[in-house]
Amino acid sequence: MNNLSSNDYEKFLRNLKERIRNAQVRAALAVNKELVLLYWQVGKDILSRQQQAGWGAKIITQLAADLKRELPDIKGFSRSNLLYMRAFAQAFPDESIVQDVFGQITWYHNISLLEKLKDAEERVWYAKQTVVHGWSRNVLVHQIESGLYRRMEGAITNFDRALPQPQSDLAQQLIKDPYHFDFLSLSQDVQERELETALVEHIRDFLLELGVGFSFVGSQYRIEVDGDDYYIDLLFYHLKLRCFVVIDLKVKEFQPEFSGKMSFYISAVDDLLRHRDDNPTIGIILCKGKKKTAAEYALRDVNKPIGVSTYQLRNSLPESLRGSLPTPEQLEMELESILQGIEASPSEDSD
């Protein structure tokens, strides 16, 4: 230690810890990949013998019991898990995609894909997104149940013209349509400030819905231009894109003039907040509804990167259904009436 300075030793120690952790991660990934591949091979063998040798469904029950008796210390070969293995092999007969995609996520992630989805293309897409974003199993299930795959191409943007590659592709991947705000209990006639306040109060849910990489900067963020104050509804910074993201909330259908206001906000943020190493600021106009052609026309000759998307609240119902559904008070009265009827009826056990 006498010949080693404190700074050199600290640097050496940090480097060593990083190498150890990286090795541990690689080892864990390798073990996981081998386990998933083993389960696929077991499922493939079961499937093959059932198809070719005529083995019946009961063979899986017998196999699970025999494996438990022969290998009592090894877990993971219950009847239900063997059924998942067979379903896994049946869904993905190509071993290469198992190694390249599904072997990169845990077996429990793969079970969720089998349970929640039927389409092979969707399963592959969600598996790849899980790898890229590091989704936990619960987050993966949430994204599936919110229909993320179907919402990735609905927004209208000019990113391909206003942003250079590869930022334009990355920006396109971050925007959805519609955004699901089912974590809010708001009526359809909510005001913009109410919606904004509710989103800020539920910022963790909001960030989850926005996606990985968003960092909240502020709401009603004040900027000063020519001595006048202007307020941005919601301001974020995206860590992967390295840029500010301006969100303008609208509780009505998209109007062409919204794009002019967003262009103003983007220019101001670029001049007043953007660091020289940041990428161009992106704007998202979030409306109650939009018409495709009107949005495309509004963005066609705009040189600032803007996306137009919509949101849905938990209470979004077709107009024709709203009058036919009971109110909470009516449901409560009906339930109370049923309970009173049960209490008044004679017991089945009485003579």
Side-chain angles (χ1 to χ4, degrees):
M1 290 292 292
N2 293 334
N3 297 324
L4 189 65
S5 71
S6 177
N7 288 339
D8 287 340
Y9 178 75
E10 291 295 331
K11 183 177 180 181
F12 171 76
L13 181 60
R14 285 196 304 270
N15 180 263
L16 186 58
K17 288 193 295 184
E18 184 176 353
R19 286 163 55 192
I20 292 171
R21 286 169 179 160
N22 288 339
Q24 289 175 327
V25 170
R26 290 196 300 271
L29 290 174
V31 169
N32 177 78
K33 185 174 183 179
E34 287 299 319
L35 182 65
V36 172
L37 186 58
L38 170 64
Y39 286 170
W40 177 84
Q41 291 168 342
V42 170
K44 182 172 178 290
D45 289 343
I46 293 173
L47 193 63
S48 175
R49 281 162 175 76
Q50 285 186 322
Q51 292 174 343
Q52 298 176 13
W55 287 7
K58 291 183 178 179
I59 190 63
I60 293 181
T61 302
Q62 179 181 336
L63 187 60
D66 290 341
L67 287 172
K68 183 178 181 180
R69 184 183 65 253
E70 298 292 334
L71 303 170
D73 297 330
I74 298 180
K75 308 297 182 182
F77 292 94
S78 64
R79 179 181 179 276
S80 60
N81 216 28
L82 288 172
L83 288 171
Y84 280 127
M85 294 177 203
R86 185 183 67 177
F88 187 50
Q90 189 172 25
F92 303 102
D94 185 357
E95 182 177 345
S96 63
I97 197 169
V98 176
Q99 295 217 35
D100 296 341
V101 179
F102 298 101
Q104 307 302 317
I105 59 178
T106 72
W107 178 241
Y108 298 105
H109 282 82
N110 282 304
I111 288 177
S112 296
L113 293 175
L114 291 172
E115 289 180 333
K116 299 290 184 179
L117 299 167
K118 301 298 182 184
D119 183 75
E121 183 177 329
E122 282 192 55
R123 286 169 171 166
V124 171
W125 186 86
Y126 279 107
K128 289 181 176 179
Q129 294 299 309
T130 298
V131 175
V132 171
H133 300 299
W135 289 341
S136 67
R137 185 189 185 188
N138 288 339
V139 172
L140 169 63
V141 170
H142 169 79
Q143 301 292 15
I144 293 173
E145 292 179 347
S146 72
L148 180 62
Y149 177 78
R150 304 292 180 184
R151 294 189 285 137
M152 294 306 292
E153 297 182 358
I156 307 297
T157 78
N158 65 351
F159 294 161
D160 60 334
R161 302 186 303 275
L163 292 172
Q165 290 284 0
Q167 192 190 14
S168 59
D169 288 341
L170 292 174
Q172 192 66 49
Q173 292 171 17
L174 73 83
I175 190 169
K176 310 168 188 176
D177 188 24
Y179 286 85
H180 287 172
F181 295 160
D182 52 1
F183 50 88
L184 303 179
S185 298
L186 297 173
S187 63
Q188 290 302 302
D189 57 354
V190 62
Q191 300 299 307
E192 288 174 7
R193 186 59 63 85
E194 292 179 90
L195 177 59
E196 175 192 319
T197 301
L199 289 174
V200 173
E201 288 176 351
H202 295 78
I203 192 64
R204 291 182 62 183
D205 296 309
F206 187 29
L207 287 171
L208 178 61
E209 175 61 9
L210 288 175
V212 175
F214 280 89
S215 177
F216 181 55
V217 178
S219 64
Q220 288 300 301
Y221 193 94
R222 187 181 70 86
I223 54 176
E224 183 180 335
V225 179
D226 288 339
D228 294 326
D229 290 337
Y230 298 89
Y231 296 89
I232 296 172
D233 286 346
L234 296 164
L235 183 63
F236 294 85
Y237 188 86
H238 198 277
L239 300 175
K240 187 174 182 179
L241 287 172
R242 297 292 176 185
C243 71
F244 285 99
V245 179
V246 175
I247 294 183
D248 197 20
L249 295 174
K250 300 295 181 185
V251 295
K252 56 184 178 180
E253 191 170 273
F254 174 79
Q255 301 296 319
E257 56 265 28
F258 294 168
S259 61
K261 180 182 179 182
M262 178 57 78
S263 293
F264 170 81
Y265 284 150
I266 292 175
S267 296
V269 171
D270 276 341
D271 283 354
L272 301 175
L273 302 178
R274 177 185 171 192
H275 187 271
R276 63 176 178 273
D277 295 329
D278 287 339
N279 286 314
T281 301
I282 292 171
I284 300 176
I285 303 172
L286 203 48
C287 306
K288 188 174 182 179
K290 72 177 189 303
K291 292 181 179 177
K292 184 174 182 292
T293 304
E296 289 176 343
Y297 283 171
L299 300 184
R300 177 176 294 179
D301 298 317
V302 175
N303 62 3
K304 298 295 182 182
I306 298 174
V308 179
S309 188
T310 61
Y311 64 86
Q312 289 183 350
L313 297 172
R314 179 191 301 173
N315 296 329
S316 295
L317 290 172
E319 198 72 45
S320 59
L321 291 180
R322 292 178 193 168
S324 62
L325 293 179
T327 66
E329 293 77 12
Q330 291 171 327
L331 286 173
E332 187 176 349
M333 291 175 61
E334 184 69 22
L335 180 58
E336 185 176 347
S337 175
I338 293 172
L339 290 175
Q340 289 175 350
I342 293 174
E343 291 172 355
S345 63
S347 171
E348 293 181 358
D349 295 332
S350 62
D351 295 332

